Structures are given as structure tokens and as C-alpha cells.
Amino acid sequence: MEKNNTQKGIVQFAMEAGAYMGLYFVVKFIFAVLSLNYPFCNVVSTIMLLFVPLVVFFMMRKFSNQNEGGSYFSQLWMMGILLFFFTSLISGLAQYIYYVYINPEYIKSQLSAAVTLLESLNMTSDPSLLEAVKTGLEQGNIPSPMAVVIQQMWVNVFFGSLLSAVMAWLVSVWFKSSKTKK
């Protein structure tokens, strides 16, 4: 089968789609940050998070359509993993800018809020662990913005790869069923 000039490879397609999805994640992050002052923004951020599987499905379907349905599960899955990798690069850059230049106290305030919440819920089985975290916060032992961003990128890629496996399977099943109907 001869390739058409409009067809893109897995990496090129994932880079271009990852740019758009990265902007989507940046907007989702902005709503999450704004939710500290405006509770309605948390609803918007959560709805955007719930739409991520649908966005991934349509991007994989578009990639498979480009190949006239000739994409295998492994190709779709790899495209999804790369999609989340490139998405994480863009959203990670925005998060880093926010953590370093816009609100340098954000990470510390979020950790303090988490400790306060754990104290109020009294859910820790080992109180010495909670005390160690509180002591660390008081001494200024908080993760650097870069460490937080890299951790978030790994989380995005890991869970994105799991989501991509499911979506790749759905897209491949969808194309097989549409071929049998014809």
C-alpha cells in the first residue's frame, strides 16, 4: 500500500496532537489553580479531566482514519503514550512557570493544606509520620518546583499509557466492527 503525502507518522501525529492536548491540559491547570479562589472553577477542571478519555479516543480515531483503519492496537497505543508525553512537556512548562514565577508559595501552601486536612480527618495510622511531615514543612523541606513538575509529567505519562491502552483497544474494535458492516 502506497502512503499518501497527507499521512503522518506516529511521532509527528502525536507531536501535533500533543500540542493541542497540552494546551487543553494548561487550561485545565489554570482552572484548577483558580479553584482556590473560585469554587466553580473546580467543577470546570473536573469536567475537563473527565473529557480526557473522549479526547484521546477521537485523536486515536483520527490517526486510524488517516491510515484508512489500518492501525494496529500497538500503533495506537504507542501513539497514545507519545501523545501524553508531548502533552506533559507543554503542561509541565506552564506548571513550572506558575510555580516559580507566578506563585512561588503554591507548593508549600498545598502541602500545608494537605497536612491540615490529614490532621482534621485523623486518618493516619502512624502519628509520628504526620509529625515528621509537619516538622519537614516547618524546616522548609519542600520539593522543588522542578521535582513537582517532573513527578506530574511521569504521572501523566503513566496513567496516559493505561488510558491509551484502553482507548487503543476501543478504536481497534470500532474499526473492525465498521469494516464488517460494509
Side-chain angles (χ1 to χ4, degrees), residues 74-160:
S74 59
Q75 290 174 317
L76 292 170
W77 190 15
M78 179 54 71
M79 193 279 295
I81 293 170
L82 290 171
L83 173 73
F84 277 96
F85 173 74
F86 293 120
T87 297
S88 293
L89 288 177
I90 293 172
S91 64
L93 176 64
Q95 289 174 11
Y96 182 78
I97 290 169
Y98 181 78
Y99 297 151
V100 171
Y101 300 109
I102 298 173
N103 189 357
E105 294 296 313
Y106 180 80
I107 296 170
K108 184 176 181 178
S109 67
Q110 291 299 303
L111 289 174
S112 297
V115 167
T116 304
L117 179 66
L118 285 174
E119 283 179 332
S120 68
L121 294 175
N122 199 18
M123 293 181 64
T124 56
S125 60
D126 187 8
S128 63
L129 178 65
L130 186 60
E131 286 303 316
V133 172
K134 283 174 44 179
T135 304
L137 277 174
E138 290 167 1
Q139 293 175 353
N141 294 333
I142 58 172
S144 70
M146 183 57 79
V148 172
V149 167
I150 289 174
Q151 178 187 8
Q152 187 63 42
M153 289 173 66
W154 278 111
V155 167
N156 285 345
V157 172
F158 175 74
F159 286 109

Side-chain angles (χ1 to χ4, degrees), residues 24 29 35 138 148:
Y24 181 84
F29 175 72
S35 71
E138 290 167 1
V148 172

Side-chain angles (χ1 to χ4, degrees), residues 42-55:
N42 192 31
V43 173
V44 175
S45 177
T46 303
I47 290 171
M48 289 182 75
L49 179 66
L50 294 175
F51 272 98
V52 169
L54 191 63
V55 171

